[in-house]
Amino acid sequence: MTMSSHVTASVSRPLSDAELAVILTRKPWWQRRDFLGSSAIAVVSTIVVVGLLGTIAVNSEGWLLFQRAFLNPEHFALSFPKIWEGFLLNVLLFVLIEPIVLIVGLVLALLRNLSSPVFFPLRFFAIAFIDLFRGLPAILVILMLGMGIPALRIEGLSTSPLFWGAVACVLTSSAYTAENYRAGIESIHPSQRAAARALGLGHGQTMWFVILPQAVRRVTPPLMSGFIALQKETALISVIGTMEATRAAQAYSATTFNFTSYLVAALLFVAITIPLTRLTDHLLRRSEIRRTVGGAV
Amino acid sequence: MIPDAVPAVRLRGVYQAYGSRTVLRNIDLDVASHEVVALIGPSGCGKSTLLRTVNLLEDVVAGSIELNGENITAPKTNKNRVRQQVGLVFQQFNLFPHLTVLENITLAPRRVARKSKVDADRRAMELLERFGLADKADEYPDRLSGGQQQRVAIIRSLATEPTVILLDEVTSALDPETVGEVLALIAELKNLGLTLILATHEMAFARTVADRIVFMHEGEIVEQGPPSQVLDAPTVDRTRRFVDQILSHDVAAVTAQEQL
Ligand SMILES: Nc1ncnc2c1ncn2[C@@H]1O[C@H](COP(=O)(O)OP(=O)(O)OP(=O)(O)O)[C@@H](O)[C@H]1O
Ligand SMILES: [Mg+2]
């Protein structure tokens, strides 16, 4: 079969450049045949499943009650402004904390990587730090720092629970991020280090110019997952009384006995985390393709 | 060659070990300036270890190494300065995949020798032009053939202006068609007057390019001399067995190729 079609092809005249171009040009995804076929199936099956589940839910006994408590348009509109305000605090925290986490995590990973015995105390500190803050539930760290340190009223230290809650977030996330960096650093083949050293580059130069650039590229997807986790972690700061989105939603529901405000907060978070997740997936796929194709940039 | 000139590389009683396993035993070797020495010997005999030791990637267990008369195994040696003078090229090229060809070549001149970007780039382009790779300057290594990658790796080691270049089986990872271009480049290095120590399995190449062949076995130098002596009339039994085996292998490979 394959054989004979191959023969026919080679017997007929060679393809002109224009014909070849037509074959080699990829159509946009919405025009591709495989896309049209599979998306049709996907649409039909989605309608069937959602319709079925919807019918079951709407016909269930508690549906009206549920609708009133969680999907109340009036409460949605009323609670929105306060929660939005709180959510801006979440975003602000996230935007301020993330760069700090990326830097602190990197410093920890580099300290942990020091091999010379001279640096043992630094290395020990990094390992202890990472173990401790990876081992503790984030909410505990937030409670201890956010409630504890302001209560001590130490001269010169901030007494803002929000500040210490943010510091707690930095500590826990940095510990995770350091481990991500470390995985990346260790994944670089030792021959890269040998090549750099053989050229006369020092330890630090080898790390900075040769190992790290490759390592960071490799761990971008897990670092992105860390972003998303951190974005959600900012909600934990509500436990020390900070009026961020979750806390605002809780306050609203506590006075109205309606839970729609939680839905508002949930939608706001998801509006940020889902696009971030998709972006992460995209980066992950791209880096995988790159790796199978050959490695570099 | 002036007989009493200071050798480019001199090893005296060098021992090397990985853990408790001794890999080099009492190595004495003098390599004169501009000389080309080929290290041959069975797999695991310590050729790579010897080259890595001369580049100071491994510390000697005992013995000393001199570079142009200077003891480089002394404790206070600035290793990074020595490595500028002794280039090492690896079997697997080890180019930096995140850097372009030009950036690979200029990394050490810029960061170690502290040359300006303009100077380092100009020098790198001169080298690339001389060896016919100027059009690849802005490519990333994974876009090059194996032979091209290995030539870039050799140029990279040249860019620090070394006097000695160590080549560790630089053709073993290459397709047969691309071996030639790399061997041609090595022959040019010889013409440039560099001192070369190369570990190789390419007996035909060793015969034409090397001034001297050193046969190693289980971490020791068993026999050395001009190619005609070591390859055609070895005096030690162990050498003879190795050479016979390698040559019959080469013949088999050639016959196989001719039959294709
Ligand atoms: N990093 C290492 N750790 C422990 N043992 C090693 C290491 N590198 C090499 N060896 C051992 O040292 C011995 C010499 O190895 P070396 O790589 O120098 O041999 P070689 O002559 O270059 O061999 P080949 O022709 O296969 O490249 C071998 O027995 C090897 O197993
Ligand atoms: Mg070897």
Side-chain angles (χ1 to χ4, degrees), chain A residues 1-295:
Chain A
M1 221 1 231
T2 338
M3 204 49 200
S4 66
S5 64
H6 180 78
V7 170
T8 0
S10 61
V11 166
S12 66
R13 71 197 165 73
L15 293 169
S16 73
D17 283 353
E19 286 168 318
L20 202 59
V22 169
I23 297 174
L24 292 179
T25 310
R26 265 166 81 84
K27 287 184 183 172
W29 55 270
W30 63 86
Q31 285 180 13
R32 277 185 229 142
R33 238 209 252 150
D34 51 352
F35 169 76
L36 291 176
S38 56
S39 53
I41 295 171
V43 166
V44 170
S45 84
T46 308
I47 290 174
V48 169
V49 170
V50 169
L52 225 87
L53 289 177
T55 320
I56 293 171
V58 170
N59 290 327
S60 73
E61 273 180 54
W63 173 246
L64 264 183
L65 217 61
F66 177 83
Q67 201 179 18
R68 225 175 294 148
F70 278 96
L71 307 175
N72 190 315
E74 208 175 313
H75 283 297
F76 193 103
L78 277 175
S79 65
F80 190 87
K82 274 269 181 286
I83 297 173
W84 172 251
E85 212 173 289
F87 186 67
L88 291 181
L89 179 61
N90 288 93
V91 172
L92 182 70
L93 276 172
F94 167 69
V95 169
L96 289 178
I97 290 175
E98 181 61 35
I100 302 176
V101 164
L102 285 177
I103 293 166
V104 175
L106 179 60
V107 171
L108 285 170
L110 292 177
L111 292 183
R112 195 177 175 154
N113 201 263
L114 294 172
S115 54
S116 159
V118 180
F119 298 119
F120 178 78
L122 288 176
R123 187 176 143 81
F124 180 82
F125 164 79
I127 293 175
F129 183 103
I130 293 168
D131 283 356
L132 180 65
F133 288 106
R134 266 186 4 136
L136 283 173
I139 196 160
L140 261 183
V141 181
I142 292 172
L143 278 172
M144 285 196 292
L145 290 189
M147 306 292 240
I149 294 188
L152 296 176
R153 301 191 175 281
I154 301 169
E155 197 72 36
L157 282 188
S158 164
T159 54
S160 149
L162 175 59
F163 174 79
W164 288 107
V167 170
C169 274
V170 168
L171 296 182
T172 44
S173 297
S174 300
Y176 279 101
T177 308
E179 287 299 273
N180 280 335
Y181 280 121
R182 185 166 76 110
I185 290 169
E186 283 177 1
S187 76
I188 305 300
H189 198 273
S191 62
Q192 287 284 307
R193 178 184 300 271
R197 301 288 287 160
L199 284 168
L201 272 77
H203 269 297
Q205 288 177 322
T206 299
M207 181 53 84
W208 190 254
F209 294 114
V210 175
I211 310 289
L212 264 189
Q214 299 183 58
V216 168
R217 244 164 263 206
R218 248 179 232 191
V219 296
T220 302
L223 287 179
M224 291 292 291
S225 300
F227 273 34
I228 295 164
L230 180 66
Q231 168 68 25
K232 291 185 296 178
E233 220 161 80
T234 58
L236 292 178
I237 296 187
S238 66
V239 296
I240 50 173
T242 307
M243 259 306 159
E244 48 68 68
T246 325
R247 181 75 185 183
Q250 196 184 8
Y252 185 90
S253 88
T255 54
T256 58
F257 303 102
N258 184 280
F259 304 110
T260 309
S261 55
Y262 288 128
L263 181 73
V264 176
L267 285 177
L268 286 175
F269 272 104
V270 157
I272 290 226
T273 49
I274 289 189
L276 265 181
T277 312
R278 287 282 79 80
L279 183 64
T280 310
D281 285 353
H282 174 74
L283 289 177
L284 192 69
R285 216 174 11 251
R286 229 181 43 180
S287 77
E288 250 160 33
I289 290 172
R290 218 180 292 143
R291 205 161 310 151
T292 48
V293 165

Side-chain angles (χ1 to χ4, degrees), chain B residues 5-259:
Chain B
V6 179
V9 181
R10 158 172 285 180
L11 286 82
R12 278 292 170 273
V14 169
Y15 283 78
Q16 185 60 272
Y18 292 112
S20 61
R21 197 174 130 64
T22 310
V23 179
L24 296 181
R25 257 174 236 281
N26 197 23
I27 300 281
D28 287 334
L29 183 66
D30 281 3
V31 180
S33 260
H34 314 300
E35 196 184 10
V36 177
V37 169
L39 301 177
I40 63 169
S43 183
C45 70
K47 304 182 291 292
S48 300
T49 307
L50 180 60
L51 297 181
R52 291 169 66 90
T53 305
V54 173
N55 184 262
L56 304 184
L57 278 181
E58 318 281 350
D59 291 323
V60 295
V61 170
S64 69
I65 303 174
E66 284 175 19
L67 183 69
N68 301 315
E70 180 199 356
N71 182 353
I72 57 170
T73 42
K76 55 184 188 311
T77 308
N78 179 343
K79 291 185 181 179
N80 292 334
R81 193 179 50 78
V82 170
R83 289 179 183 135
Q84 296 271 288
Q85 300 167 43
V86 184
L88 174 58
V89 184
F90 301 83
Q91 181 174 349
Q92 299 291 344
F93 336 135
N94 297 2
L95 292 177
F96 306 130
H98 62 298
L99 300 179
T100 63
V101 165
L102 191 65
E103 290 164 343
N104 262 278
I105 297 171
T106 56
L107 181 64
R110 288 183 62 196
R111 304 302 170 186
V112 188
R114 304 264 166 214
K115 280 194 188 175
S116 72
K117 179 170 160 50
V118 178
D119 286 350
D121 283 358
R122 188 178 336 108
R123 173 82 185 123
M125 285 311 297
E126 276 170 24
L127 287 170
L128 284 169
E129 256 153 44
R130 175 178 316 152
F131 299 114
L133 285 165
D135 57 325
K136 304 294 183 197
D138 296 321
E139 290 282 10
Y140 284 92
D142 66 339
R143 303 276 301 255
L144 305 183
S145 74
Q148 290 168 337
Q149 288 188 51
Q150 190 57 291
R151 280 149 67 203
V152 170
I154 294 173
I155 293 172
R156 181 175 71 176
S157 79
L158 273 177
T160 61
E161 287 162 22
T163 53
V164 178
I165 295 199
L166 313 171
L167 301 147
D168 191 0
E169 292 184 32
V170 291
T171 57
S172 314
L174 299 178
D175 295 332
E177 314 91 80
T178 56
V179 168
E181 62 193 52
V182 173
L183 295 184
L185 174 48
I186 297 173
E188 273 199 63
L189 297 184
K190 179 183 180 170
N191 295 336
L192 287 174
L194 285 154
T195 307
L196 304 181
I197 308 180
L198 42 104
T200 186
H201 286 291
E202 303 274 344
M203 291 306 144
F205 178 67
R207 185 191 292 277
T208 53
V209 82
D211 301 311
R212 180 155 48 116
I213 295 206
V214 172
F215 173 69
M216 291 177 68
H217 182 62
E218 292 183 352
E220 286 178 286
I221 294 179
V222 173
E223 181 167 5
Q224 53 179 307
S228 54
Q229 182 212 312
V230 177
L231 295 181
D232 300 332
T235 53
V236 182
D237 191 43
R238 191 67 196 83
T239 318
R240 190 173 311 121
R241 264 186 288 155
F242 176 76
V243 169
D244 283 351
Q245 192 190 341
I246 281 275
L247 290 184
S248 65
H249 220 86
D250 272 0
V251 171
V254 170
T255 332
Q257 269 186 348
E258 277 168 356
Q259 280 170 356

